[in-house]
Amino acid sequence: PWAGQVMAKAKYRNKPVVVDCKRFDSQAEAVRYSELKLMMAAGVISDLRLQVSFVLAPSVRLVGATRATPALRYVSDFVYRKLDGSVIIEDVKGALTAAYKIKRHLMALNGHHITEIKA
């Protein structure tokens, strides 16, 4: 971490890591970022993006609520393009939580496959 940066407490006992001034939730995610950077430098992949948000369900106003609930989102760890033009959505996972399984299911319903990288 750099001066003045406060690291949030980890949810699943993982240790947040900072690489290239980017914060990663775990060492495994930071390692995968380094691998993808090397692959991009070698021309194997392109258009590497981090923390890409996908809307799974739009905002709705529930009966009796005074305001709408926010849209339900899935935020990927990485998104990049392979040489054949296909887009890869990656998530570095140590454990598959119930919430993640629901989001993975909804992503598939929307035509998006998540590639899971085991931590």
Short mmCIF file of all heavy atoms in Angstrom, two decimals, residues 36-89:
data_model
loop_
_atom_site.label_atom_id
_atom_site.label_comp_id
_atom_site.label_asym_id
_atom_site.label_seq_id
_atom_site.Cartn_x
_atom_site.Cartn_y
_atom_site.Cartn_z
N LEU A 36 -1.64 -12.19 -16.88
CA LEU A 36 -2.38 -11.61 -18.01
C LEU A 36 -1.62 -10.43 -18.62
O LEU A 36 -1.64 -10.25 -19.85
CB LEU A 36 -3.77 -11.17 -17.55
CG LEU A 36 -4.73 -12.32 -17.20
CD1 LEU A 36 -6.00 -11.77 -16.56
CD2 LEU A 36 -5.06 -13.15 -18.43
N LYS A 37 -0.92 -9.65 -17.80
CA LYS A 37 -0.10 -8.56 -18.34
C LYS A 37 1.00 -9.10 -19.24
O LYS A 37 1.29 -8.54 -20.30
CB LYS A 37 0.52 -7.75 -17.20
CG LYS A 37 -0.35 -6.63 -16.71
CD LYS A 37 0.31 -5.73 -15.69
CE LYS A 37 1.78 -5.56 -15.86
NZ LYS A 37 2.42 -4.67 -14.91
N LEU A 38 1.63 -10.19 -18.81
CA LEU A 38 2.67 -10.83 -19.64
C LEU A 38 2.09 -11.35 -20.94
O LEU A 38 2.69 -11.21 -22.01
CB LEU A 38 3.35 -11.97 -18.87
CG LEU A 38 4.29 -11.56 -17.74
CD1 LEU A 38 4.74 -12.79 -16.96
CD2 LEU A 38 5.49 -10.80 -18.29
N MET A 39 0.90 -11.96 -20.86
CA MET A 39 0.23 -12.47 -22.06
C MET A 39 -0.11 -11.33 -23.02
O MET A 39 0.01 -11.48 -24.24
CB MET A 39 -1.03 -13.25 -21.67
CG MET A 39 -0.74 -14.55 -20.95
SD MET A 39 -2.21 -15.30 -20.21
CE MET A 39 -3.14 -15.75 -21.67
N MET A 40 -0.50 -10.19 -22.47
CA MET A 40 -0.82 -9.04 -23.31
C MET A 40 0.45 -8.49 -23.96
O MET A 40 0.45 -8.17 -25.15
CB MET A 40 -1.53 -7.96 -22.49
CG MET A 40 -2.24 -6.96 -23.37
SD MET A 40 -3.47 -5.97 -22.53
CE MET A 40 -2.44 -4.83 -21.66
N ALA A 41 1.54 -8.42 -23.20
CA ALA A 41 2.81 -7.94 -23.74
C ALA A 41 3.32 -8.85 -24.85
O ALA A 41 3.95 -8.39 -25.80
CB ALA A 41 3.84 -7.82 -22.62
N ALA A 42 3.03 -10.16 -24.74
CA ALA A 42 3.45 -11.14 -25.74
C ALA A 42 2.51 -11.18 -26.94
O ALA A 42 2.76 -11.90 -27.91
CB ALA A 42 3.55 -12.52 -25.10
N GLY A 43 1.40 -10.44 -26.87
CA GLY A 43 0.45 -10.41 -27.98
C GLY A 43 -0.52 -11.57 -28.00
O GLY A 43 -1.21 -11.78 -29.00
N VAL A 44 -0.60 -12.31 -26.93
CA VAL A 44 -1.49 -13.47 -26.86
C VAL A 44 -2.93 -13.05 -26.57
O VAL A 44 -3.88 -13.68 -27.04
CB VAL A 44 -1.00 -14.47 -25.77
CG1 VAL A 44 -1.95 -15.64 -25.62
CG2 VAL A 44 0.41 -14.95 -26.09
N ILE A 45 -3.10 -11.95 -25.81
CA ILE A 45 -4.41 -11.38 -25.53
C ILE A 45 -4.34 -9.87 -25.73
O ILE A 45 -3.26 -9.31 -25.85
CB ILE A 45 -4.89 -11.70 -24.09
CG1 ILE A 45 -3.99 -11.01 -23.05
CG2 ILE A 45 -4.99 -13.20 -23.85
CD1 ILE A 45 -4.54 -11.03 -21.63
N SER A 46 -5.51 -9.23 -25.77
CA SER A 46 -5.56 -7.78 -25.88
C SER A 46 -6.74 -7.25 -25.07
O SER A 46 -7.56 -8.02 -24.57
CB SER A 46 -5.71 -7.35 -27.34
OG SER A 46 -6.93 -7.83 -27.87
N ASP A 47 -6.82 -5.94 -24.96
CA ASP A 47 -7.95 -5.26 -24.31
C ASP A 47 -8.21 -5.74 -22.88
O ASP A 47 -9.36 -5.92 -22.49
CB ASP A 47 -9.23 -5.42 -25.14
CG ASP A 47 -9.09 -4.91 -26.56
OD1 ASP A 47 -8.37 -3.90 -26.75
OD2 ASP A 47 -9.67 -5.51 -27.48
N LEU A 48 -7.16 -5.92 -22.11
CA LEU A 48 -7.31 -6.36 -20.71
C LEU A 48 -7.99 -5.25 -19.90
O LEU A 48 -7.54 -4.11 -19.90
CB LEU A 48 -5.95 -6.69 -20.10
CG LEU A 48 -5.95 -7.09 -18.63
CD1 LEU A 48 -6.78 -8.34 -18.39
CD2 LEU A 48 -4.51 -7.30 -18.15
N ARG A 49 -9.10 -5.61 -19.24
CA ARG A 49 -9.81 -4.68 -18.37
C ARG A 49 -10.03 -5.35 -17.01
O ARG A 49 -10.19 -6.56 -16.93
CB ARG A 49 -11.16 -4.28 -18.98
CG ARG A 49 -11.00 -3.48 -20.26
CD ARG A 49 -12.32 -3.09 -20.87
NE ARG A 49 -12.95 -4.29 -21.43
CZ ARG A 49 -14.27 -4.47 -21.52
NH1 ARG A 49 -15.10 -3.55 -21.08
NH2 ARG A 49 -14.75 -5.56 -22.06
N LEU A 50 -10.05 -4.55 -15.98
CA LEU A 50 -10.24 -5.04 -14.61
C LEU A 50 -11.56 -4.55 -14.05
O LEU A 50 -11.99 -3.44 -14.36
CB LEU A 50 -9.11 -4.55 -13.70
CG LEU A 50 -7.73 -5.18 -13.87
CD1 LEU A 50 -7.12 -4.92 -15.20
CD2 LEU A 50 -6.82 -4.72 -12.76
N GLN A 51 -12.18 -5.37 -13.21
CA GLN A 51 -13.38 -4.98 -12.48
C GLN A 51 -14.49 -4.46 -13.41
O GLN A 51 -15.03 -3.39 -13.22
CB GLN A 51 -13.05 -3.93 -11.42
CG GLN A 51 -12.00 -4.38 -10.42
CD GLN A 51 -12.50 -5.49 -9.52
OE1 GLN A 51 -13.53 -5.36 -8.90
NE2 GLN A 51 -11.78 -6.59 -9.44
N VAL A 52 -14.82 -5.26 -14.42
CA VAL A 52 -15.87 -4.89 -15.37
C VAL A 52 -17.22 -5.28 -14.78
O VAL A 52 -17.41 -6.41 -14.32
CB VAL A 52 -15.66 -5.59 -16.73
CG1 VAL A 52 -16.78 -5.26 -17.69
CG2 VAL A 52 -14.31 -5.18 -17.32
N SER A 53 -18.16 -4.35 -14.78
CA SER A 53 -19.47 -4.55 -14.19
C SER A 53 -20.48 -4.98 -15.25
O SER A 53 -20.54 -4.39 -16.33
CB SER A 53 -19.94 -3.25 -13.52
OG SER A 53 -21.20 -3.41 -12.95
N PHE A 54 -21.27 -6.00 -14.93
CA PHE A 54 -22.34 -6.49 -15.80
C PHE A 54 -23.66 -6.36 -15.04
O PHE A 54 -23.76 -6.80 -13.90
CB PHE A 54 -22.12 -7.97 -16.15
CG PHE A 54 -20.90 -8.23 -16.97
CD1 PHE A 54 -19.66 -8.40 -16.36
CD2 PHE A 54 -20.97 -8.31 -18.36
CE1 PHE A 54 -18.52 -8.64 -17.11
CE2 PHE A 54 -19.84 -8.55 -19.11
CZ PHE A 54 -18.61 -8.72 -18.49
N VAL A 55 -24.67 -5.79 -15.68
CA VAL A 55 -25.99 -5.67 -15.04
C VAL A 55 -26.72 -6.99 -15.24
O VAL A 55 -26.93 -7.44 -16.37
CB VAL A 55 -26.80 -4.51 -15.63
CG1 VAL A 55 -28.22 -4.48 -15.05
CG2 VAL A 55 -26.10 -3.19 -15.38
N LEU A 56 -27.10 -7.63 -14.14
CA LEU A 56 -27.82 -8.91 -14.18
C LEU A 56 -29.32 -8.71 -14.16
O LEU A 56 -30.07 -9.49 -14.75
CB LEU A 56 -27.40 -9.78 -13.00
CG LEU A 56 -25.91 -10.12 -12.92
CD1 LEU A 56 -25.61 -10.84 -11.62
CD2 LEU A 56 -25.51 -10.95 -14.12
N ALA A 57 -29.77 -7.69 -13.46
CA ALA A 57 -31.19 -7.34 -13.38
C ALA A 57 -31.27 -5.84 -13.15
O ALA A 57 -30.51 -5.29 -12.35
CB ALA A 57 -31.87 -8.11 -12.26
N PRO A 58 -32.19 -5.18 -13.82
CA PRO A 58 -32.29 -3.72 -13.67
C PRO A 58 -32.84 -3.33 -12.30
O PRO A 58 -33.38 -4.15 -11.56
CB PRO A 58 -33.26 -3.33 -14.79
CG PRO A 58 -34.09 -4.54 -15.01
CD PRO A 58 -33.19 -5.72 -14.74
N SER A 59 -32.72 -2.07 -12.01
CA SER A 59 -33.28 -1.50 -10.79
C SER A 59 -34.80 -1.68 -10.81
O SER A 59 -35.43 -1.58 -11.87
CB SER A 59 -32.93 -0.02 -10.74
OG SER A 59 -33.58 0.61 -9.67
N VAL A 60 -35.38 -1.95 -9.66
CA VAL A 60 -36.84 -2.08 -9.56
C VAL A 60 -37.33 -1.37 -8.30
O VAL A 60 -36.57 -1.20 -7.34
CB VAL A 60 -37.31 -3.56 -9.51
CG1 VAL A 60 -36.96 -4.29 -10.78
CG2 VAL A 60 -36.75 -4.27 -8.30
N ARG A 61 -38.59 -0.99 -8.33
CA ARG A 61 -39.22 -0.43 -7.13
C ARG A 61 -40.15 -1.50 -6.58
O ARG A 61 -41.11 -1.90 -7.23
CB ARG A 61 -39.99 0.83 -7.42
CG ARG A 61 -40.59 1.41 -6.12
CD ARG A 61 -41.25 2.71 -6.34
NE ARG A 61 -40.22 3.70 -6.64
CZ ARG A 61 -40.39 4.98 -6.47
NH1 ARG A 61 -41.52 5.44 -6.00
NH2 ARG A 61 -39.42 5.83 -6.75
N LEU A 62 -39.83 -1.99 -5.39
CA LEU A 62 -40.63 -3.02 -4.75
C LEU A 62 -41.90 -2.40 -4.16
O LEU A 62 -41.91 -1.22 -3.79
CB LEU A 62 -39.81 -3.72 -3.66
CG LEU A 62 -38.52 -4.37 -4.14
CD1 LEU A 62 -37.68 -4.86 -2.97
CD2 LEU A 62 -38.81 -5.51 -5.11
N VAL A 63 -42.94 -3.19 -4.08
CA VAL A 63 -44.21 -2.72 -3.53
C VAL A 63 -43.98 -2.18 -2.12
O VAL A 63 -43.36 -2.83 -1.28
CB VAL A 63 -45.25 -3.87 -3.50
CG1 VAL A 63 -46.52 -3.43 -2.80
CG2 VAL A 63 -45.54 -4.35 -4.90
N GLY A 64 -44.45 -0.97 -1.88
CA GLY A 64 -44.32 -0.35 -0.57
C GLY A 64 -43.02 0.39 -0.35
O GLY A 64 -42.87 1.09 0.65
N ALA A 65 -42.07 0.26 -1.25
CA ALA A 65 -40.77 0.93 -1.09
C ALA A 65 -40.88 2.39 -1.52
O ALA A 65 -41.65 2.72 -2.43
CB ALA A 65 -39.71 0.22 -1.91
N THR A 66 -40.12 3.25 -0.87
CA THR A 66 -40.15 4.68 -1.23
C THR A 66 -39.22 5.00 -2.39
O THR A 66 -39.36 6.03 -3.03
CB THR A 66 -39.76 5.55 -0.02
OG1 THR A 66 -38.47 5.14 0.45
CG2 THR A 66 -40.77 5.40 1.11
N ARG A 67 -38.26 4.11 -2.63
CA ARG A 67 -37.37 4.32 -3.77
C ARG A 67 -36.98 2.97 -4.36
O ARG A 67 -37.13 1.92 -3.74
CB ARG A 67 -36.15 5.12 -3.38
CG ARG A 67 -35.32 4.52 -2.30
CD ARG A 67 -34.19 5.45 -1.92
NE ARG A 67 -33.56 4.92 -0.71
CZ ARG A 67 -32.35 5.19 -0.33
NH1 ARG A 67 -31.60 5.99 -1.06
NH2 ARG A 67 -31.86 4.69 0.76
N ALA A 68 -36.43 3.02 -5.54
CA ALA A 68 -36.06 1.80 -6.26
C ALA A 68 -34.81 1.17 -5.65
O ALA A 68 -33.94 1.87 -5.12
CB ALA A 68 -35.82 2.11 -7.73
N THR A 69 -34.72 -0.14 -5.75
CA THR A 69 -33.50 -0.84 -5.36
C THR A 69 -32.49 -0.68 -6.48
O THR A 69 -32.87 -0.52 -7.64
CB THR A 69 -33.76 -2.34 -5.13
OG1 THR A 69 -34.19 -2.92 -6.36
CG2 THR A 69 -34.82 -2.58 -4.06
N PRO A 70 -31.20 -0.74 -6.18
CA PRO A 70 -30.21 -0.64 -7.27
C PRO A 70 -30.23 -1.89 -8.16
O PRO A 70 -30.74 -2.94 -7.76
CB PRO A 70 -28.88 -0.53 -6.53
CG PRO A 70 -29.14 -0.96 -5.13
CD PRO A 70 -30.60 -0.85 -4.87
N ALA A 71 -29.69 -1.75 -9.35
CA ALA A 71 -29.58 -2.89 -10.25
C ALA A 71 -28.71 -3.96 -9.60
O ALA A 71 -27.80 -3.65 -8.83
CB ALA A 71 -28.96 -2.45 -11.57
N LEU A 72 -28.99 -5.22 -9.92
CA LEU A 72 -28.17 -6.33 -9.44
C LEU A 72 -27.02 -6.50 -10.43
O LEU A 72 -27.24 -6.63 -11.63
CB LEU A 72 -29.01 -7.61 -9.37
CG LEU A 72 -28.30 -8.88 -8.94
CD1 LEU A 72 -27.71 -8.72 -7.54
CD2 LEU A 72 -29.25 -10.05 -8.99
N ARG A 73 -25.79 -6.49 -9.91
CA ARG A 73 -24.61 -6.52 -10.78
C ARG A 73 -23.65 -7.66 -10.41
O ARG A 73 -23.59 -8.07 -9.27
CB ARG A 73 -23.83 -5.21 -10.67
CG ARG A 73 -24.60 -4.01 -11.11
CD ARG A 73 -23.80 -2.73 -10.95
NE ARG A 73 -24.59 -1.58 -11.32
CZ ARG A 73 -24.73 -1.15 -12.57
NH1 ARG A 73 -24.10 -1.76 -13.55
NH2 ARG A 73 -25.48 -0.10 -12.84
N TYR A 74 -22.91 -8.08 -11.42
CA TYR A 74 -21.77 -8.98 -11.22
C TYR A 74 -20.55 -8.19 -11.67
O TYR A 74 -20.56 -7.57 -12.75
CB TYR A 74 -21.91 -10.25 -12.06
CG TYR A 74 -20.61 -10.99 -12.23
CD1 TYR A 74 -20.05 -11.70 -11.17
CD2 TYR A 74 -19.90 -10.93 -13.43
CE1 TYR A 74 -18.83 -12.34 -11.31
CE2 TYR A 74 -18.69 -11.58 -13.57
CZ TYR A 74 -18.16 -12.28 -12.52
OH TYR A 74 -16.94 -12.90 -12.65
N VAL A 75 -19.49 -8.19 -10.87
CA VAL A 75 -18.25 -7.50 -11.23
C VAL A 75 -17.17 -8.56 -11.41
O VAL A 75 -16.82 -9.27 -10.47
CB VAL A 75 -17.84 -6.47 -10.16
CG1 VAL A 75 -16.54 -5.79 -10.55
CG2 VAL A 75 -18.94 -5.44 -9.96
N SER A 76 -16.67 -8.66 -12.64
CA SER A 76 -15.64 -9.65 -12.95
C SER A 76 -14.29 -9.17 -12.43
O SER A 76 -14.08 -7.99 -12.21
CB SER A 76 -15.56 -9.86 -14.46
OG SER A 76 -15.06 -8.69 -15.08
N ASP A 77 -13.36 -10.11 -12.29
CA ASP A 77 -11.99 -9.73 -11.96
C ASP A 77 -11.30 -9.20 -13.21
O ASP A 77 -10.66 -8.15 -13.16
CB ASP A 77 -11.22 -10.93 -11.39
CG ASP A 77 -11.70 -11.32 -10.01
OD1 ASP A 77 -12.22 -10.45 -9.27
OD2 ASP A 77 -11.58 -12.50 -9.65
N PHE A 78 -11.45 -9.92 -14.33
CA PHE A 78 -10.77 -9.55 -15.58
C PHE A 78 -11.67 -9.84 -16.77
O PHE A 78 -12.43 -10.79 -16.77
CB PHE A 78 -9.47 -10.35 -15.76
CG PHE A 78 -8.56 -10.30 -14.57
CD1 PHE A 78 -8.44 -11.38 -13.72
CD2 PHE A 78 -7.83 -9.15 -14.29
CE1 PHE A 78 -7.61 -11.33 -12.61
CE2 PHE A 78 -6.99 -9.10 -13.18
CZ PHE A 78 -6.88 -10.18 -12.35
N VAL A 79 -11.52 -9.02 -17.80
CA VAL A 79 -12.13 -9.27 -19.11
C VAL A 79 -11.05 -8.95 -20.14
O VAL A 79 -10.36 -7.94 -20.03
CB VAL A 79 -13.37 -8.39 -19.36
CG1 VAL A 79 -13.89 -8.57 -20.77
CG2 VAL A 79 -14.47 -8.70 -18.35
N TYR A 80 -10.88 -9.85 -21.12
CA TYR A 80 -9.89 -9.61 -22.18
C TYR A 80 -10.33 -10.31 -23.45
O TYR A 80 -11.27 -11.10 -23.47
CB TYR A 80 -8.49 -10.07 -21.75
CG TYR A 80 -8.41 -11.53 -21.34
CD1 TYR A 80 -8.15 -12.53 -22.27
CD2 TYR A 80 -8.57 -11.91 -20.01
CE1 TYR A 80 -8.07 -13.86 -21.89
CE2 TYR A 80 -8.49 -13.22 -19.62
CZ TYR A 80 -8.24 -14.20 -20.57
OH TYR A 80 -8.17 -15.52 -20.19
N ARG A 81 -9.62 -10.00 -24.54
CA ARG A 81 -9.93 -10.57 -25.85
C ARG A 81 -8.79 -11.50 -26.28
O ARG A 81 -7.62 -11.13 -26.17
CB ARG A 81 -10.10 -9.45 -26.87
CG ARG A 81 -10.61 -9.90 -28.22
CD ARG A 81 -10.91 -8.72 -29.12
NE ARG A 81 -11.84 -7.77 -28.54
CZ ARG A 81 -13.17 -7.90 -28.56
NH1 ARG A 81 -13.71 -8.95 -29.13
NH2 ARG A 81 -13.95 -6.98 -28.02
N LYS A 82 -9.15 -12.70 -26.75
CA LYS A 82 -8.16 -13.64 -27.29
C LYS A 82 -7.89 -13.30 -28.76
O LYS A 82 -8.60 -12.49 -29.35
CB LYS A 82 -8.68 -15.07 -27.16
CG LYS A 82 -8.75 -15.54 -25.71
CD LYS A 82 -9.43 -16.87 -25.52
CE LYS A 82 -8.84 -17.99 -26.32
NZ LYS A 82 -9.44 -19.30 -26.02
N LEU A 83 -6.86 -13.91 -29.32
CA LEU A 83 -6.49 -13.64 -30.71
C LEU A 83 -7.61 -13.93 -31.69
O LEU A 83 -7.73 -13.27 -32.73
CB LEU A 83 -5.25 -14.46 -31.10
CG LEU A 83 -3.93 -14.02 -30.46
CD1 LEU A 83 -2.80 -14.93 -30.91
CD2 LEU A 83 -3.62 -12.57 -30.78
N ASP A 84 -8.46 -14.92 -31.38
CA ASP A 84 -9.56 -15.27 -32.28
C ASP A 84 -10.74 -14.30 -32.16
O ASP A 84 -11.77 -14.46 -32.82
CB ASP A 84 -10.03 -16.71 -32.05
CG ASP A 84 -10.63 -16.94 -30.66
OD1 ASP A 84 -10.82 -15.97 -29.90
OD2 ASP A 84 -10.91 -18.11 -30.33
N GLY A 85 -10.60 -13.28 -31.29
CA GLY A 85 -11.64 -12.28 -31.13
C GLY A 85 -12.64 -12.56 -30.01
O GLY A 85 -13.45 -11.70 -29.67
N SER A 86 -12.58 -13.77 -29.46
CA SER A 86 -13.52 -14.10 -28.38
C SER A 86 -13.18 -13.32 -27.12
O SER A 86 -12.01 -13.03 -26.84
CB SER A 86 -13.51 -15.61 -28.10
OG SER A 86 -12.23 -16.04 -27.72
N VAL A 87 -14.21 -12.97 -26.37
CA VAL A 87 -14.06 -12.22 -25.13
C VAL A 87 -14.15 -13.19 -23.96
O VAL A 87 -15.07 -14.00 -23.87
CB VAL A 87 -15.14 -11.13 -25.01
CG1 VAL A 87 -15.07 -10.43 -23.66
CG2 VAL A 87 -15.00 -10.12 -26.14
N ILE A 88 -13.18 -13.10 -23.06
CA ILE A 88 -13.10 -13.97 -21.89
C ILE A 88 -13.41 -13.15 -20.64
O ILE A 88 -12.84 -12.08 -20.44
CB ILE A 88 -11.70 -14.61 -21.75
CG1 ILE A 88 -11.32 -15.36 -23.03
CG2 ILE A 88 -11.62 -15.50 -20.53
CD1 ILE A 88 -12.24 -16.49 -23.40
N ILE A 89 -14.31 -13.67 -19.82
CA ILE A 89 -14.64 -13.07 -18.53
C ILE A 89 -14.07 -14.00 -17.47
O ILE A 89 -14.41 -15.18 -17.44
CB ILE A 89 -16.17 -12.95 -18.35
CG1 ILE A 89 -16.77 -12.11 -19.47
CG2 ILE A 89 -16.50 -12.37 -16.97
CD1 ILE A 89 -18.28 -12.21 -19.57
#
